[in-house]
Amino acid sequence: STVKIPVEVTITPVYGDFGESRATVAVLREISEHRNQQQRLSALNTITCNLFRQESCNGVINEAVAAARNILNFEIAVFYSPTADGTLSPVSSTIPIPKITYSTDALFLDEYLPAYAYEQQEAIFDAEVPDSDSMLPTDKSIGSIFACPVSSYGVFVVATHRHHGLD
């Protein structure tokens, strides 16, 4: 089968001492990564426009979770919102995920990073989550995670099963 590889071609003539054409130099540059970046930037621009068009908080949340999964290729994306009973409840997520119950009296970083990030109101990134940690209540272990609080609205979390998967 034939494989097509996108390339950029630059051709430059080489002239002699008297201005005569002596040779031609051609440089081929493979541009598939550049093309992929352009497509992702275009998709992110579209998502940004869609976010501004949303008329509700849930619309923004759903759009952001979809973008994290479909454009940025995060395996897990979830937005947790606080509830009156002391839990963080997933409003929108790319995988089925339960509520996180936490106590502010006994909240430690290694319990549930999303709850800690929300309670402390600081973004937290961990590129190498130890296998024993349960940063998110999922069946599969988390390799990398980023939790970003969104004021009193909740916390946005993206994660991957690979160490350094969010670098």
Side-chain angles (χ1 to χ4, degrees), residues 6-160:
V7 294
E8 176 182 84
V9 180
T10 304
I11 300 174
T12 305
V14 178
Y15 298 103
D17 293 339
F18 302 106
E20 74 281 6
S21 180
R22 304 270 304 167
T24 303
V25 175
V27 177
L28 299 172
R29 186 171 67 108
E30 191 269 331
I31 60 167
S32 58
E33 182 60 32
H34 178 71
R35 185 176 284 174
N36 290 342
Q37 287 175 343
Q38 285 181 322
Q39 290 171 343
R40 284 181 61 183
L41 283 173
S42 176
L44 285 171
N45 182 52
T46 300
I47 290 295
T48 302
C49 292
N50 290 345
L51 285 169
F52 283 113
R53 287 189 197 109
Q54 297 300 316
E55 296 180 9
S56 70
C57 184
N58 279 350
V60 170
I61 290 167
N62 290 334
E63 197 72 38
V65 168
R69 174 68 173 159
N70 300 331
I71 296 171
L72 300 175
N73 299 318
F74 295 130
E75 294 161 339
I76 300 167
V78 59
F79 188 89
Y80 289 100
S81 184
T83 62
D85 64 355
T87 63
L88 286 175
S89 182
V91 175
S92 181
S93 65
T94 56
I95 61 170
I97 198 158
K99 290 181 177 182
I100 295 176
T101 304
Y102 67 97
S103 164
T104 55
D105 297 334
L107 190 61
F108 300 102
L109 180 61
D110 61 349
E111 283 184 4
Y112 285 121
L113 184 130
Y116 186 86
Y118 174 73
E119 198 60 37
Q120 300 300 313
Q121 285 296 296
E122 70 180 60
I124 301 172
F125 172 68
D126 190 345
E128 291 189 31
V129 177
D131 289 337
S132 61
D133 282 359
S134 56
M135 296 285 187
L136 280 175
T138 63
D139 294 338
K140 207 170 169 185
S141 65
I142 299 298
S144 301
I145 188 168
F146 175 69
C148 182
V150 184
S151 188
S152 63
Y153 295 107
V155 60
F156 185 70
V157 179
V158 292
T160 181

